DNA sequence: AGTTGTGAAGTACTTCACAGCA
DNA sequence: TGCTGTGAAGTACTTCACAACT
């Protein structure tokens, strides 16, 4: 079978835009809850926390869903974005690694309301097998491949310790999974065609620390060149 | 006092580079643990999961820490990056909202080993006050400002429900915090000069769903134009 | 009159490819 | 010889500013 487009985004929606669609969806849901029927790009951008030129450009990749001189119909636009992201169907998710974080993810209410169904929980520790978490029995990781196939899982959430992450990813990929969300603080390699996203808590804190240091230590963190500039400035 | 540079990054390290420094640091730590003393940009890039041109360019913003023809000295480079990020000091963190996620974050071992010290836990629910989590007593959110000042907190981690997030951020900013990591699924506005990063679990899943849909539904997701192209191609 | 949708300009990031140095 | 450090070229994203439309 010939491929029509180079794998992702047939209509060529930029990756940066895709990453913002969930944000717009949330803003629209919030407006909808407040009973707002129509919204301008300025107002919607404000609600979503982006600038309006960017918002309009982003939406233009999906189609012409607004009305000039008026704005966007909230429900209509919400439906279009929902469809674009693929949330008109629901996606079965397996969480692998039921430690503190896995527990928290299993109990996180935000998934179900957004088109994701946590279909299975898996852990390598036999003592956890059978334990009930968030209304689901934890299964032993021997059953991982079986669970993925039987329950028609599309997305794997990896919440294992770092040392186990690569092996787990290898197994779910071999079982046919092509979308992985990795919480383990480890570099994981996956083959071409498998989408891997990572959420790394300490990385985020480190980025904050970097900026915090720049703010506090401005005077201490002068480079040699800046010191020279400063000296010149002081001399007049 | 005159500002020497436009607030962040005196030496002008690009934001994209800053976001990768933690990755390099982790790769170097792993090499160091394995007893590797020297590493080439190719090897380090492989370990960190990026390409080597990008790695060399990134490192070049920090200085010339390698040796041509040889590579980088692992311990030395690790120290330089640690210093650049600001992890030679440790940073006091408060976690606000001790639900499932807050619990998981409090118990997450990865922070301490990377220069972050969880100094306080705060929750709005009075029934939680005094409860011990991860060796710390949960304090009531009335004490938030006091905790921040007394314990010299630099970074606030917000793990509250969405509806409380903005108010909490307003309060910590008023108390002098300039770095916030937000896990609440809400758009939060902060003043200029406050660094806000967000981690949004369902957004990540939605991005995966988007790509998953493109893969599976290739044939179903044809646009009108593509259908015409396909028809032409089939006709010959 | 008012707001979208979008070419064009501007900015940021990535990759190439090789000069420069150990 | 081999590998770093970096200008230059290429790509992706953002912002501007206004024509097109209701």
């Amino acid at each position: 079978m010939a491929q029509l487009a180079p794998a992702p985004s047939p209509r060529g929606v930029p990756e940066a835009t895709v990453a913002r669609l969930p944000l717009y969806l949330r803003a629209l849901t919030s407006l909808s809850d407040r009973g707002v029927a129509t919204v301008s790009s300025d107002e919607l951008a404000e609600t979503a926390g982006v600038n309006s030129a960017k918002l309009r450009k982003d939406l233009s990749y999906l189609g012409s869903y607004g009305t000039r001189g008026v704005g966007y119909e909230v429900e209509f636009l919400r439906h279009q974005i929902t469809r674009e992201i693929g949330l008109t169907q629901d996606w079965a998710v397996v969480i692998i690694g039921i430690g503190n974080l896995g527990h928290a993810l299993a109990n996180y209410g935000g998934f179900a309301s957004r088109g994701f169904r946590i279909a299975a929980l898996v852990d390598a520790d036999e003592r956890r097998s059978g334990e009930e978490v968030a209304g689901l029995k934890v299964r032993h990781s021997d059953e991982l491949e079986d669970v993925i196939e039987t329950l028609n899982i599309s997305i794997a959430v990896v919440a294992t310790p770092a040392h186990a992450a690569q092996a787990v990813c290898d197994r779910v990929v071999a079982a046919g999974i092509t979308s992985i969300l990795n919480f383990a603080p480890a570099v994981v390699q996956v083959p071409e065609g498998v989408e891997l996203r990572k959420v790394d808590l300490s990385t985020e804190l480190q980025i904050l620390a970097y900026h915090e240091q720049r703010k506090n230590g401005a005077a201490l963190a002068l480079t040699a060149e800046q010191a020279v500039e400063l000296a010149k400035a002081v001399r007049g």
Side-chain angles (χ1 to χ4, degrees), chain A:
Chain A
M1 272 294 136
Q3 201 89 3
L4 276 172
S9 49
R11 274 181 269 176
V13 181
E15 192 52 37
T17 297
V18 171
R20 282 187 295 265
L21 294 179
L23 199 63
Y24 302 153
L25 196 51
R26 176 179 300 159
L28 287 165
T29 302
S30 144
L31 289 167
S32 172
D33 289 351
R34 280 189 265 149
V36 177
T38 304
V39 71
S40 70
S41 63
D42 272 352
E43 293 162 331
L44 181 53
E46 162 86 23
T47 309
V50 303
N51 82 42
S52 66
K54 193 188 278 180
L55 170 70
R56 288 202 302 280
K57 186 63 120 185
D58 282 344
L59 295 183
S60 78
Y61 293 116
L62 313 187
S64 284
Y65 296 144
T67 308
R68 287 167 205 244
V70 178
Y72 301 91
E73 218 245 287
V74 171
E75 285 308 327
F76 178 71
L77 184 56
R78 180 155 78 127
H79 173 75
Q80 294 303 330
I81 295 179
T82 300
R83 193 180 45 71
E84 186 74 23
I85 299 180
L87 301 184
T88 43
Q89 60 185 288
D90 87 356
W91 300 92
V93 174
V94 59
I95 298 176
I96 305 163
I98 312 302
N100 282 303
L101 183 59
H103 255 92
L105 294 172
N107 283 300
Y108 178 56
F111 293 141
S113 64
R114 289 181 177 83
F116 300 96
R117 186 167 42 82
I118 296 175
L121 308 177
V122 166
D123 196 282
D125 187 343
E126 289 192 339
R127 289 164 297 181
R128 279 227 165 78
S129 300
E131 187 184 326
E132 195 155 302
V133 174
L136 283 169
K137 280 223 164 52
V138 176
R139 321 244 325 232
H140 188 264
S141 46
D142 287 349
E143 304 175 70
L144 181 55
E145 287 80 2
D146 185 42
V147 161
I148 290 171
E149 198 181 333
T150 317
L151 299 175
N152 215 352
I153 305 275
S154 304
I155 299 176
V157 173
V158 177
T160 64
H163 64 83
Q166 182 67 62
V168 163
C169 289
D170 290 347
R171 283 179 63 190
V172 301
V173 167
I177 291 282
T178 57
S179 293
I180 300 174
L181 181 54
N182 180 35
F183 285 87
V187 176
V188 167
Q189 319 271 359
V190 294
E192 186 86 357
V194 175
E195 201 74 22
L196 173 71
R197 297 191 64 86
K198 38 192 165 177
V199 173
D200 190 323
L201 312 177
S202 56
T203 293
E204 295 298 327
L205 285 183
Q206 288 177 27
I207 296 170
L208 287 175
Y210 174 88
H211 293 294
E212 191 69 25
Q213 173 175 242
R214 299 295 113 148
K215 290 178 214 158
N216 300 340
L220 299 164
L222 293 180
T223 61
E225 303 91 282
Q226 287 178 325
V228 171
E229 285 306 306
L230 178 59
K232 279 185 194 162
V234 168
R235 280 198 306 272

